[in-house]
């Protein structure tokens, strides 16, 4: 009997160590890879928070040499990746440890690609373009949102073109991810809100993606449950480590879901927007999410109904239009409850920018797995609604 190839699914993830204080074990893992010299990639804010000092102390305790590269912008740039690769080579490093939010982690992944291939990071845009394995990658996330620590995505900003580009390959899935909720306690409330919504969008988009399946759905649903149920309280009680742990776990689950199911129009549009205005990625997602959900709803009504029910919305007796309205209202109310009142217009986007943004969004790989097939005109309309 012939095998039904449409039912085949794959799932990739790093080795994950989860729990308060696990960052202190980084030296053990570096030593396991036979590290002689580690390139530690971070940024000035994470260094100031003290998390890099903990990592360096752990490496020193294991007798592992290291050098620190911290010239990383909030949206990591092509030049920063190339410069980091130069530092890696000059110091004869053989392992990369990235400490921080999505920016240091994506920069660390980019450095790994460049040193493995000996070519510009610009040459690897797209899906499955990598041919050589990167050096061992160890990630220590300090925000609960981007999930670069578990994903097969790298997002780099090309400032010359005013756009971000995506590299998608299982070759950039980290080898080890040390997920330590304590590292998120230094985040300010707005960053906590942005990254929390980013993680929620990861889960929503993964669940309705055309690439979803039985290996990703449970992670997406559990992420939605954890983030929807705890984000407001966590932002109100930033030092509560139990709440931090639940949001960090939700972010991780969302990352495992979207890394394998891919995403949709929110992220395609967000990448374009973030590259154009150099805005935080989570902010871009949060501005767009309810508009894209409303646009997509009719293409996956049963799956969006499951999302609504996971958020605690009573859907009994409601038609699809009513469920869509309740879901959109819930997302807006959640954003307001965590102090998020942004619009695109507030950040200087005008209607004249929309064609440029939409063209680049249509070139993003995430648009390919959006549940509703989208034209450039559709994307323009959604951007217009978010102004």
């Amino acid at each position: 009997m012939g095998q039904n190839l449409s039912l085949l699914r794959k799932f990739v993830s790093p080795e994950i160590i989860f729990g308060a204080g696990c960052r202190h074990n980084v030296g053990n893992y570096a030593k396991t890879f036979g590290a002689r010299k580690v390139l530690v990639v971070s940024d000035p804010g994470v260094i100031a928070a003290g998390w890099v000092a903990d990592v360096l102390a752990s490496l020193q305790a294991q007798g592992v040499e290291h050098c620190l590269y911290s010239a990383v912008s909030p949206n990591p740039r092509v030049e920063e990746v190339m410069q980091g690769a130069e530092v890696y080579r000059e110091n004869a490093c053989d392992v990369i440890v990235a400490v921080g939010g999505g920016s240091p982690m994506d920069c660390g992944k980019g450095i790994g690609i460049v040193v493995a291939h000996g070519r510009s990071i610009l040459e690897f845009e797209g899906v499955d373009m990598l041919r050589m394995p990167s050096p061992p990658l160890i990630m220590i996330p300090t925000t609960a949102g981007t999930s670069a620590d578990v994903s097969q995505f790298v997002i780099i900003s090309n400032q010359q073109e005013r756009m971000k580009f995506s590299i998608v390959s299982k070759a950039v899935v980290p080898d080890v991810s040390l997920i330590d909720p304590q590292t998120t306690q230094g985040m300010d409330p707005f960053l906590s809100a942005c990254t929390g919504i980013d993680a929620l969008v990861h889960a929503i988009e993964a669940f309705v993606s055309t690439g979803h399946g039985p290996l990703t759905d449970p992670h997406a649903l559990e992420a939605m449950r954890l983030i929807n149920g705890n984000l407001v309280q966590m932002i109100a009680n930033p030092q509560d480590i139990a709440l931090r742990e639940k949001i960090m776990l939700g972010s991780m689950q969302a990352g495992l879901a979207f890394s394998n199911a891919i995403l949709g129009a929110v992220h395609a549009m967000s990448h374009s927007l973030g590259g154009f205005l150099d805005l935080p990625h989570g902010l871009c997602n949060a501005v767009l999410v309810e508009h894209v959900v409303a646009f997509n709803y009719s293409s996956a009504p049963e799956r969006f109904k499951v999302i609504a029910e996971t958020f605690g919305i009573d859907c009994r007796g409601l038609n699809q239009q009513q469920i869509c309205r309740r879901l959109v209202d819930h997302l807006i109310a959640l954003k307001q409850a965590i102090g998020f009142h942004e619009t695109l217009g507030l950040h200087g986007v005008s209607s004249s920018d929309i064609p440029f943004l939409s063209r680049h969004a249509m070139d993003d790989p995430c648009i390919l797995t959006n549940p509703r097939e989208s034209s450039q005109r559709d994307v323009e309309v959604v951007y217009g609604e978010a102004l």
Side-chain angles (χ1 to χ4, degrees):
M1 210 168 120
Q3 193 177 15
N4 186 345
L5 294 179
S6 66
L7 296 180
L8 293 179
R9 294 287 188 272
K10 72 176 178 112
F11 191 94
V12 292
S13 77
E15 179 179 352
I16 295 170
I17 296 86
F18 185 97
C22 69
R23 66 189 181 280
H24 297 294
N25 294 326
V26 65
N28 298 335
Y29 285 93
K31 206 164 184 184
T32 300
F33 289 119
R36 293 184 305 277
K37 193 163 190 180
V38 168
L39 179 70
V40 178
V41 181
S42 192
D43 66 31
V46 176
I47 293 170
W51 309 126
V52 172
D54 292 342
V55 167
L56 300 185
S58 176
L59 293 170
Q60 284 165 344
Q62 292 293 329
V64 178
E65 286 189 49
H66 56 80
C67 63
L68 176 62
Y69 177 67
S70 61
V72 182
S73 301
N75 288 307
R77 302 176 181 190
V78 169
E79 301 77 28
E80 293 164 355
V81 171
M82 299 309 292
Q83 186 187 340
E86 202 54 45
V87 172
Y88 180 100
R89 284 190 286 252
E90 285 171 359
N91 288 274
C93 296
D94 52 2
V95 170
I96 296 170
V97 172
V99 190
S103 301
M105 290 193 285
D106 277 346
C107 191
K109 288 181 175 186
I111 291 167
I113 293 168
V114 172
V115 297
H117 292 81
R119 289 153 54 198
S120 169
I121 193 67
L122 286 164
E123 296 181 39
F124 299 98
E125 179 178 2
V127 180
D128 291 334
M129 299 298 286
L130 306 185
R131 297 291 173 263
M132 305 287 288
S134 289
L137 292 168
I138 302 173
M139 302 276 148
I140 304 173
T142 62
T143 63
T146 69
S147 299
D149 50 296
V150 297
S151 82
Q152 53 182 329
F153 278 72
V154 185
I155 311 296
I156 303 296
S157 183
N158 180 346
Q159 289 292 295
Q160 271 65 48
E161 303 287 334
R162 292 188 75 183
M163 59 178 283
K164 286 183 174 182
F165 63 95
S166 305
I167 298 167
V168 187
S169 170
K170 68 178 181 181
V172 297
V173 175
D175 295 282
V176 176
S177 185
L178 300 168
I179 303 178
D180 184 345
Q182 286 178 347
T183 65
T184 67
Q185 288 181 299
M187 293 166 66
D188 66 66
F190 186 70
L191 182 59
S192 293
C194 285
T195 53
I197 294 293
D198 186 17
L200 190 65
V201 173
H202 288 155
I204 293 169
E205 292 213 293
F207 190 70
V208 299
S209 158
T210 57
H212 80 83
L215 299 179
T216 58
D217 285 352
H219 291 293
L221 290 170
E222 180 63 2
M224 286 183 242
R225 190 187 69 77
L226 284 165
I227 296 164
N228 180 70
N230 295 286
L231 186 59
V232 174
Q233 297 94 309
M234 185 205 78
I235 288 170
N237 303 280
Q239 296 309 310
D240 187 324
I241 193 65
L243 288 171
R244 288 277 177 196
E245 197 161 280
K246 286 175 181 172
I247 296 298
M248 200 74 162
L249 188 59
S251 172
M252 183 202 79
Q253 298 259 27
L256 291 172
F258 91 76
S259 178
N260 291 282
I262 317 301
L263 292 156
V266 178
H267 273 78
M269 295 170 69
S270 178
H271 292 154
S272 177
L273 192 59
F276 182 62
L277 289 176
D278 207 20
L279 290 171
H281 173 65
L283 185 152
C284 297
N285 279 342
V287 168
L288 294 164
V289 58
E290 71 268 22
H291 304 288
V292 175
V293 166
F295 171 77
N296 280 336
Y297 193 96
S298 61
S299 293
E302 290 308 314
R303 294 191 76 75
F304 277 112
K305 182 182 178 185
V306 172
I307 291 172
E309 289 169 341
T310 303
F311 287 159
I313 298 168
D314 186 354
C315 297
R316 289 173 299 181
L318 301 182
N319 62 33
Q320 294 298 353
Q321 202 173 1
Q322 290 168 322
I323 296 169
C324 178
R325 185 69 254 165
R326 294 263 181 105
L327 178 55
V328 165
D329 288 345
H330 179 88
L331 290 168
I332 293 168
L334 177 64
K335 292 198 304 183
Q336 290 174 343
I338 59 176
F340 192 94
H341 304 281
E342 313 287 312
T343 64
L344 295 188
L346 280 175
H347 290 279
V349 179
S350 70
S351 53
S352 62
D353 299 321
I354 288 176
F356 174 90
L357 292 169
S358 302
R359 276 197 309 277
H360 285 300
M362 290 300 294
D363 289 335
D364 191 285
C366 292
I367 204 80
L368 299 174
T369 46
N370 193 61
R372 181 172 170 183
E373 204 168 312
S374 315
S375 68
Q376 184 175 323
R377 179 66 193 138
D378 292 331
V379 173
E380 288 174 357
V381 169
V382 177
Y383 272 130
E385 289 171 353
L387 281 177

